[in-house]
Amino acid sequence: MNLARIVPIAPWLLGMCAVSFPRPLAAAETRPAYLDPAAPLESRVEDLLGRLTLEEKLSLVHADSKFTTAAIPRLGIPRRWMSDGPHGVREDVGPDTWNVAGHTDDFATCMPVLIGLAATWNPDAARAYGDVIGEEARRRGKDIMLGPGVNIQRTPLNGRTSEYLGEDPFLASRMVVNYVRAVQSHGVASCVKHFAANNQETQRASVDVEMDERTLREIYLPAFRAAVQEGGAWAVMGAYNKFRGQFCCENDTLINHVLKGEWGFQGLVMSDWGGTHDTREAVFNGLDLEMGTERGARDRAKKSAPEAGSDPSPYERYYLAGAFREGLKRGEFPLSALDDKVRRNLRVMIATRLFDGREEGALNTAAHQKAARSVAGEGIVLLKNEGGALPLRADKLNAIAVIGENAVRLHAYGGDSARIKALYEVNPLEGILRKVGARTNVTYSPGYRKDGAPDLIDKAVAAARAADVAIVIGGLIHERPFDCEGADRSDLRLPWGQDELIRRVAAANPHTIVVIVSGSPVGMGDWLDRAPAVVQAWYGGTEGGNSLADVLFGEVNPSGKLPCTYPRRIEDTPAHAMDEYPGKNGVVHYAEGLLVGYRWYDTKRIEPLFPFGYGLSYTKFEYSGLTLVSGTAPNGPIVTVEFQVANTGDRAGAEVAQLYVHQAKPSLPRPLKELKGFRKVMLNPGEKKAVSIALDRSAFAYYDPARSGWVAEADDFTLQVGSSSRDTRLQGVFRLGETTLGN
Ligand code: BGC
């Protein structure tokens, strides 16, 4: 129980002491404890806390510009810088405006968007990715990176689908852990966002999300939990929306009870920009750092801080600034509430080695560009490849017709807060030109344009007819209302007449390759049966065009797998089928419950266009020899699934072996299958490797709301191993002997 809440006056008196007698840096004191890297973290935090005045403390819990908090020079605390995130270090803005700062040293490496990272199904790629972000953030002087985003894809129409890690909590969890660890290894805090249930952009600032406890625990929270508990993320950003009637940035259940209580999170919770709404709620419900409060909200806050002066600075009008100070003075808020927030802010500073001399970092290095190329290439998903249409052989082609605006359009500088001022961005046309050299004649025709131009199709068809191969590079754009913050798409269709373009190009040239550049699933029903090859390329970043050309011409054998289901029709998707998107009267009920993504399609037996986990290769893989080995070590795995994967084709390639679990007779209904393990295996032609995936009890458990815990029941579990969620190659049954309840 928080005594300070009951007796608010006493802590305030203590606070007065803190105001009057902060511990100064004594002249004789050579190195105070907080500056001693060898001292334990908590004693450094307490030492520094004890030296702060009330004003200094307050200055640490709200912004003093768009992306900073104030410096405290007398204690050697510099201005603290935050930056978006999530696939590169954003250009500088402000300080007090969203206008770009116009710096020349803020060009950065743009990594592929996060959904493209998820499509690698390779936690090592997440580590390489995080290393780039961390090193570049350090070089750019950033202390906290605003990412990654781990909101689960509830609807493919969500404008921020590209910024997240797909539809499955297990996959997202495995990817986020390495991302966060890598970023933070460079002395930069990773701020995981948007906590929680932020699954649509429509009405994002107000919509109230309702879902049952089990769905929350099993679908929407695991990636956050993994980021915090396994990844050690030092910061979490609250979401804009409400959850069960309370704004997420000031949400007692999510922040106080789950994040800080159950999960023991010791870092800081910051608001999304403009996500703070009320001083009292922010004080008591766990918000530690208020960022981005804008004018309308400021004016409301001003009313509760009358003595803030005739024209207080915009930052003084923040909910956790003047109004907080006044509430402390009046005894409405205990000083302990402020101290807890400050402690968390200091902890993050110290844990990220602010006072210990951090590495300088590095920007736009060849190594970063190489990582960008390899991760983007590894995330490209080959969706269809009939008759060996791919890979292309440059030496066998005299003429290639490249068609489509996305062959030349740049996307790095799109996506609103996720935009990156890339040092350069190789577009697909450039990538192809570089790959084929002067030998092959490459023509380019736009085929469609964002602003429409009907005759473009005729020209593209003529170009396709005259070429050996036509490559249509279309998809979406990284701008509203497509793959961009602030709005959702209205449907799955490709815009601007692309369906017709692809149909006609494919009719004109049987060797037509379709490349979809997008950050979310698109409809393909109109033309999929007519195009022999289809590639999902995402927004590939700095090296995107090279990565795509690597795959098209076979230098990289595709190994990406879909991190989300591609539906045939939007009506087939769970939120839309339940008529629970975008909600009614400001409330959205997640009525589909646990049945998100493949859990829905499998359980409801709906045929998707492409299933979760799907992706082809230029080689073939065979699975064999499944054995289940029961664990006997007390804290070890309870079963290890062992099998072999062989490359039976004639090229080296990587396969993502996926393990799904199905419980025979659960006491509460469960989805037909759930991903609980995967392994990416690189194999030379003819090579066979043994793979083993160890499962602990969490792989068998579901959340039981009645017992507020995770139950693994004594039952039979079918363990399916395969190449996608719908392509099971091996299976075995494991009998769990004993029911257990855990956290
Ligand atoms: C976004 C956040 C972002 C912040 C700062 C908000 O609009 O929702 O993801 O980090 O702006 O740019």
Side-chain angles (χ1 to χ4, degrees):
M1 181 184 297
N2 186 347
L3 280 180
R5 272 185 160 180
I6 300 170
V7 196
I9 295 300
W12 170 244
L13 286 176
L14 282 174
M16 295 306 282
C17 297
V19 175
S20 317
F21 309 110
R23 270 191 69 204
L25 267 184
E29 201 179 8
T30 45
R31 187 162 67 171
Y34 78 93
L35 291 179
D36 178 3
L41 175 63
E42 290 310 311
S43 59
R44 296 177 75 182
V45 170
E46 290 309 315
D47 179 64
L48 185 49
L49 182 74
R51 296 171 192 274
L52 294 172
T53 66
L54 181 78
E55 285 308 311
E56 287 167 344
K57 288 179 183 177
L58 280 167
S59 78
L60 292 176
V61 300
H62 64 81
D64 80 329
S65 85
K66 286 283 178 230
F67 284 98
T68 56
T69 57
I72 307 176
R74 75 177 185 93
L75 293 169
I77 298 178
R79 222 170 178 200
R80 182 171 40 156
W81 285 88
M82 281 144 250
S83 173
D84 291 298
H87 50 267
V89 187
R90 182 181 173 176
E91 83 191 308
D92 297 330
V93 301
D96 296 320
T97 139
W98 286 109
N99 294 341
V100 299
H103 294 155
T104 50
D105 58 357
D106 59 353
F107 292 92
T109 301
C110 182
M111 298 298 284
V113 288
L114 281 192
I115 195 167
L117 171 64
T120 67
W121 288 61
N122 182 358
D124 291 339
R127 184 180 304 112
Y129 191 118
D131 275 331
V132 173
I133 304 291
E135 282 186 9
E136 299 217 344
R138 204 69 294 292
R139 181 55 162 258
R140 295 265 308 274
K142 309 300 181 192
D143 300 288
I144 305 179
M145 281 302 293
L146 308 176
V150 296
N151 295 100
I152 291 296
Q153 187 185 133
R154 176 173 183 255
T155 163
L157 301 185
N158 180 7
R160 298 187 90 166
T161 299
S162 70
E163 289 187 57
Y164 302 137
L165 292 163
E167 73 185 24
D168 181 70
F170 184 82
L171 176 62
S173 300
R174 290 311 95 214
M175 300 305 286
V176 73
V177 167
N178 276 6
Y179 179 119
V180 167
R181 284 184 186 155
V183 169
Q184 296 196 158
S185 72
H186 298 282
V188 176
S190 185
C191 180
V192 186
K193 64 191 188 183
H194 307 88
F195 191 65
N198 182 188
N199 309 100
Q200 64 191 52
E201 289 298 281
T202 304
Q203 300 167 14
R204 69 172 178 177
S206 59
V207 72
D208 186 7
V209 177
E210 290 288 342
M211 71 174 94
D212 62 82
E213 190 65 18
R214 190 170 163 213
T215 299
L216 177 71
R217 301 290 178 151
E218 291 192 28
I219 304 291
Y220 294 99
L221 291 187
F224 287 101
R225 183 176 180 179
V228 164
Q229 291 192 326
E230 291 177 62
W234 278 117
V236 170
M237 183 189 293
Y240 279 132
N241 51 286
K242 291 181 183 166
F243 174 72
R244 295 184 187 154
Q246 202 167 41
F247 281 108
C248 287
C249 293
E250 307 157 351
N251 194 291
D252 190 39
T253 304
L254 290 175
I255 305 177
N256 285 343
H257 291 277
V258 177
L259 177 65
K260 294 182 177 176
E262 289 178 32
W263 300 350
F265 177 64
Q266 297 293 311
L268 71 86
V269 174
M270 74 171 75
S271 68
D272 199 341
W273 271 233
T276 313
H277 297 267
D278 181 85
T279 299
R280 166 167 286 273
E281 303 262 302
V283 167
F284 289 118
N285 294 342
L287 186 68
D288 304 308
L289 176 54
E290 178 186 3
M291 298 300 299
T293 302
E294 294 283 353
R295 192 179 180 76
R298 251 173 19 216
D299 290 344
R300 284 198 302 280
K302 195 177 162 193
K303 286 191 195 121
S304 56
E307 52 278 71
S310 56
D311 185 22
S313 90
Y315 307 104
E316 175 61 17
R317 292 182 198 155
Y318 272 38
Y319 295 97
L320 289 184
F324 193 8
R325 181 192 303 103
E326 295 312 313
L328 285 163
K329 274 194 192 160
R330 286 196 296 268
E332 285 166 22
F333 310 134
L335 185 71
S336 57
L338 174 60
D339 279 351
D340 178 57
K341 297 178 196 307
V342 175
R343 245 183 221 113
R344 289 171 178 277
N345 279 275
L346 298 179
R347 196 175 284 132
V348 177
M349 290 179 195
I350 294 171
T352 52
R353 307 194 291 279
L354 174 67
F355 302 110
D356 305 343
R358 297 187 288 198
E359 68 185 54
E360 242 187 63
L363 197 56
N364 296 312
T365 64
H368 293 178
Q369 292 155 7
K370 198 171 157 211
R373 183 168 180 164
S374 106
V375 176
E378 208 184 321
I380 290 174
V381 185
L382 180 62
L383 295 174
K384 183 176 176 189
N385 194 18
E386 261 175 26
L390 285 173
L392 302 171
R393 290 270 312 264
D395 58 345
K396 293 261 161 69
L397 296 171
N398 292 319
I400 301 176
V402 176
I403 295 164
E405 205 198 23
N406 268 344
V408 293
R409 183 176 267 275
L410 302 181
H411 297 282
Y413 202 67
D416 215 347
S417 69
R419 72 166 173 260
I420 306 299
K421 191 165 105 183
L423 180 65
Y424 65 87
E425 181 180 352
V426 180
N427 68 36
L429 178 61
E430 245 177 297
I432 291 167
L433 286 169
R434 286 184 195 179
K435 194 65 80 187
V436 300
R439 206 178 331 103
T440 312
N441 179 31
V442 178
T443 61
Y444 171 66
S445 37
Y448 69 93
R449 254 205 335 250
K450 194 183 152 206
D451 49 12
D455 62 321
L456 291 179
I457 295 190
D458 293 339
K459 290 183 185 153
V461 167
R465 197 166 285 131
D468 301 322
V469 57
I471 310 177
V472 182
I473 304 181
L476 304 176
I477 56 174
H478 207 185
E479 282 169 32
R480 225 167 281 153
F482 296 97
D483 287 313
C484 185
E485 170 176 2
D488 294 334
R489 277 188 294 160
S490 52
D491 55 40
L492 288 169
R493 291 181 74 83
L494 286 174
W496 312 306
Q498 292 182 69
D499 287 336
E500 190 194 338
L501 169 73
I502 297 170
R503 270 199 317 269
R504 288 191 48 201
V505 168
N509 189 327
H511 198 173
T512 292
I513 315 295
V514 179
V515 176
I516 300 296
V517 175
S518 73
S520 44
V522 299
M524 300 178 189
D526 283 359
W527 48 262
L528 186 59
D529 55 344
R530 315 206 185 167
V534 182
V535 171
Q536 175 65 52
W538 318 113
Y539 300 115
T542 284
E543 285 282 337
N546 283 333
S547 310
L548 176 63
D550 288 343
V551 167
L552 295 178
F553 291 90
E555 240 164 80
V556 166
N557 189 349
S559 64
K561 300 274 187 176
L562 293 178
C564 54
T565 308
Y566 275 43
R568 286 184 184 276
R569 311 172 312 157
I570 196 64
E571 307 87 271
D572 289 346
T573 67
H576 299 264
M578 302 298 296
D579 195 20
E580 278 296 350
Y581 166 88
K584 296 175 192 106
N585 304 320
V587 183
V588 57
H589 292 271
Y590 287 10
E592 70 284 0
L594 299 169
L595 300 184
V596 174
Y598 64 91
R599 289 164 165 79
W600 168 267
Y601 298 90
D602 287 353
T603 311
K604 300 284 179 187
R605 304 196 188 282
I606 297 170
E607 200 52 40
L609 191 63
F610 296 109
F612 174 78
Y614 170 85
L616 303 172
S617 164
Y618 296 149
T619 187
K620 291 256 168 297
F621 301 102
E622 272 176 18
Y623 288 66
S624 60
L626 182 111
T627 358
L628 305 180
V629 183
S630 296
T632 45
N635 294 320
I638 57 174
V639 61
T640 300
V641 184
E642 296 182 348
F643 53 95
Q644 283 100 42
V645 184
N647 180 349
T648 55
D650 55 7
R651 278 173 190 265
E655 168 70 331
V656 179
Q658 303 160 38
L659 170 58
Y660 296 85
V661 173
H662 162 82
Q663 182 174 352
K665 293 194 186 91
S667 303
L668 294 181
R670 295 188 72 166
L672 206 60
K673 61 169 128 31
E674 296 164 56
L675 181 74
K676 295 297 174 187
F678 61 88
R679 199 71 83 236
K680 192 157 194 172
V681 199
M682 184 72 208
L683 293 159
N684 287 319
E687 193 183 5
K688 188 186 221 182
K689 273 188 188 161
V691 180
S692 75
I693 301 178
L695 300 177
D696 62 20
R697 65 174 292 287
S698 71
F700 302 94
Y702 64 83
Y703 188 83
D704 183 353
R707 295 194 261 183
S708 301
W710 291 84
V711 184
E713 290 180 319
D715 198 357
D716 285 346
F717 291 83
T718 307
L719 307 179
Q720 303 178 341
V721 172
S723 182
S724 87
S725 62
R726 294 249 168 152
D727 182 4
T728 302
R729 306 284 181 88
L730 305 168
Q731 71 175 49
V733 175
F734 171 68
R735 167 159 295 220
L736 189 60
E738 201 190 329
T739 298
T740 55
L741 181 71
N743 296 313

